[in-house]
């Protein structure tokens, strides 16, 4: 009986020990899983903070120094993409294409340890809302890209795609409702009646002119391609034409619109006649027919811009999605 009782006791003890071992093993696995999840959660939260701070730094600050994209030496630069040349009322969300290009060319140098930690990897793309415009890829996605554990920061911004400028904007179509007097006091006023540039009258559908001044400098002509552009691109007004001249050398030699952007650098240089800062006039004649009205731009694009990119959509900052992706 004693032996039999001892055997029963030993079996019970063994079973208890097995159960305890199983419970402890399950508990240890559970603790490991909890610990792992806590580590993953902490790691993800840390990446989210890094991504959020990085996106804010790039889209909400101009960087240090503010003109870092033209500094040459990038050793002490903290990058930011805000355009300091944009109007103050909208500067908070306009990105500089010059800074974007500089960041693109020196991405790793400017981003690693200055914006994001060394152990992080990242990509950056700016997508325009207008699908006819090309996305700006600042940093490519690598071939071994792994989508697991990635943090994405999305910002809505404005982007001046090609550092364009508008020297003259004749807002005929939008002015129809207000019947504004288009243009300034043209130097052709007071000359012979048949050569006087009386204003166009859309209200009474009388033909006439819109005349504006613009200033050119040697720096502008050396760095900028000047184009005459219209919106819509195809001008339905068969009587429409334009003139560029100056008070010292007025002319009635006119040019028709070509339903595409017209490069006018050679004409402007000829009229400027090597003067340092001449004031020129841009005159546009139209029929006054409201149904055939069109807006006109004398616009500047960086020298050598691909003709395929000469679009009036680029003349104003475009709404875009700034996408920054970070992972380890």
């Amino acid at each position: 009986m004693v032996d039999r009782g001892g055997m029963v006791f030993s079996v019970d003890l063994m079973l208890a020990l097995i159960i305890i071992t199983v419970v402890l093993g399950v508990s240890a696995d559970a603790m490991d899983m909890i610990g792992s999840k806590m580590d993953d959660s902490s790691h993800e939260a840390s990446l989210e903070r890094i991504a959020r701070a990085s996106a804010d730094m790039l889209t909400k600050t101009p960087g240090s120094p503010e003109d870092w994209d033209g500094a040459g030496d990038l050793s002490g630069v903290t990058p930011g993409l805000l355009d300091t040349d944009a109007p103050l009322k909208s500067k908070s969300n306009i990105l500089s294409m010059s800074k974007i290009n500089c960041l693109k060319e020196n991405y790793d140098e400017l981003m690693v340890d200055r914006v994001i930690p060394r152990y992080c990897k990242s990509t950056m793309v700016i997508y325009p809302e207008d699908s006819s415009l090309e996305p700006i890829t600042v940093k490519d996605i690598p071939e071994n890209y792994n989508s697991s554990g990635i943090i994405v920061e999305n910002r809505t911004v404005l982007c001046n795609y090609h550092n364009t400028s508008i020297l003259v904007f004749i807002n005929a179509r939008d002015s129809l409702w207000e019947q504004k007097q288009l243009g300034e006091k043209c130097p052709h006023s007071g000359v012979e009646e048949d050569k006087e540039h009386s204003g166009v009258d859309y209200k009474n559908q009388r033909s006439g002119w819109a005349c504006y001044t613009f200033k050119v400098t040697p720096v502008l002509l050396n760095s900028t391609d000047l184009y005459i552009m219209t919106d819509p691109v195809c001008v339905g007004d068969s009587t429409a034409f334009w003139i560029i001249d100056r008070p010292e050398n007025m002319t009635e030699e006119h040019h028709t619109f070509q339903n595409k952007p017209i490069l006018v650098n050679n004409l402007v240089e000829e009229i400027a006649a090597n003067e340092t800062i001449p004031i020129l006039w841009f005159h546009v004649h139209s029929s006054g027919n409201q149904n055939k009205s069109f807006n006109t731009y004398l616009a500047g694009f960086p020298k050598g811009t691909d003709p395929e990119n000469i679009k009036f959509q680029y003349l104003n900052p475009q709404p875009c999605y700034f996408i920054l992706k970070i992972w380890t």
Side-chain angles (χ1 to χ4, degrees):
M1 292 294 293
V2 173
D3 291 341
R4 189 173 298 171
M7 185 179 297
V8 171
F9 175 78
S10 298
V11 172
D12 290 344
L13 178 60
M14 183 176 65
L15 291 173
L17 289 173
I18 291 173
I19 293 172
I20 292 172
T21 301
V22 171
V23 171
L24 289 175
V26 172
S27 299
D29 287 343
M31 292 298 293
D32 287 342
M33 291 175 63
I34 293 172
S36 177
K37 288 183 177 179
M38 290 179 64
D39 288 342
D40 289 345
S41 177
S42 175
H43 178 69
E44 183 176 347
S46 175
L47 278 183
E48 286 177 351
R49 287 194 297 271
I50 292 170
R52 184 166 54 251
S54 300
D56 286 344
M57 176 189 296
L58 292 167
T59 61
K60 295 182 179 180
T61 74
S64 178
E66 290 192 354
D67 59 347
W68 62 267
D69 52 315
D73 181 9
L74 301 176
S75 57
V77 164
T78 301
L81 302 178
L82 208 63
D83 189 353
T84 54
D85 294 328
L88 290 175
K89 63 180 180 180
S90 58
K91 185 169 66 175
S92 60
N93 63 350
I94 297 181
L95 303 189
S96 164
M97 196 62 199
S98 174
K99 291 180 178 179
I100 291 171
N101 285 333
C102 190
L103 179 61
K104 181 176 181 178
E105 294 169 2
N106 306 275
Y107 189 87
D108 291 336
E109 178 183 357
L110 289 168
M111 290 290 288
V112 176
D113 288 337
R114 304 189 195 187
V115 180
I116 60 174
R118 184 171 295 275
Y119 60 82
C120 290
K121 299 179 179 64
S122 66
T123 63
M124 187 185 303
V125 182
I126 300 173
Y127 296 94
E129 285 187 2
D130 185 344
S131 60
S132 69
L133 305 180
E134 293 293 327
I136 304 170
T137 302
V138 183
K139 177 67 173 179
D140 285 328
I141 298 176
E143 293 182 1
N144 60 347
Y145 179 74
N146 185 353
S147 61
S148 61
I150 189 169
I151 303 299
V152 180
E153 282 293 318
N154 186 348
R155 298 285 187 275
T156 301
V157 298
L158 295 175
C159 181
N160 188 350
Y161 259 59
H162 291 288
N163 285 333
T164 55
S165 57
I166 300 176
L167 283 71
V168 176
F169 173 37
I170 301 178
N171 189 354
R173 302 186 81 191
D174 292 346
S175 298
L176 295 178
W177 310 107
E178 301 179 18
Q179 293 303 321
K180 291 181 179 178
Q181 175 62 43
L182 295 177
E184 304 167 25
K185 180 74 172 176
C186 177
H188 285 255
S189 300
V191 298
E192 299 176 34
E193 185 176 350
D194 60 337
K195 297 180 180 180
E196 184 171 326
H197 288 186
S198 56
V200 60
D201 184 351
Y202 286 102
K203 183 177 181 180
N204 297 299
Q205 301 208 31
R206 285 202 296 263
S207 64
W209 297 83
C211 309
Y212 288 85
T213 61
F214 65 99
K215 179 171 62 178
V216 296
T217 65
V219 172
L220 175 72
L221 292 174
N222 289 333
S223 63
T224 307
D225 286 334
L226 301 177
Y227 284 88
I228 291 176
M229 309 172 69
T230 60
D231 177 19
V233 176
C234 294
V235 176
D237 186 347
S238 60
T239 69
F241 56 84
W242 57 272
I243 294 172
I244 294 179
D245 66 6
R246 55 187 300 191
E248 297 85 354
N249 186 20
M250 291 188 295
T251 180
E252 287 299 316
E253 181 182 354
H254 62 267
H255 309 266
T256 57
F257 293 96
Q258 299 177 12
N259 298 330
K260 65 179 182 179
I262 304 170
L263 183 65
V264 293
N265 279 55
N266 290 340
L267 177 61
V268 169
E269 289 177 5
E270 179 183 340
I271 296 170
N274 295 321
E275 288 199 19
T276 306
I277 309 179
I279 304 297
L280 276 62
W281 281 79
F282 180 43
H283 317 265
V284 173
H285 180 273
S286 55
S287 66
N289 186 333
Q290 297 183 16
N291 298 322
K292 297 182 179 181
S293 63
F294 57 94
N295 290 338
T296 314
Y297 302 85
L298 176 59
F301 285 74
K303 203 78 168 180
T305 298
D306 189 332
E308 292 294 323
N309 292 326
I310 308 301
K311 303 177 181 179
F312 72 86
Q313 293 101 311
Y314 289 134
L315 297 182
N316 294 300
Q318 292 295 308
C320 302
Y321 302 109
F322 173 92
I323 309 293
L324 175 67
K325 297 181 180 181
I326 290 182
W327 70 99
T328 55

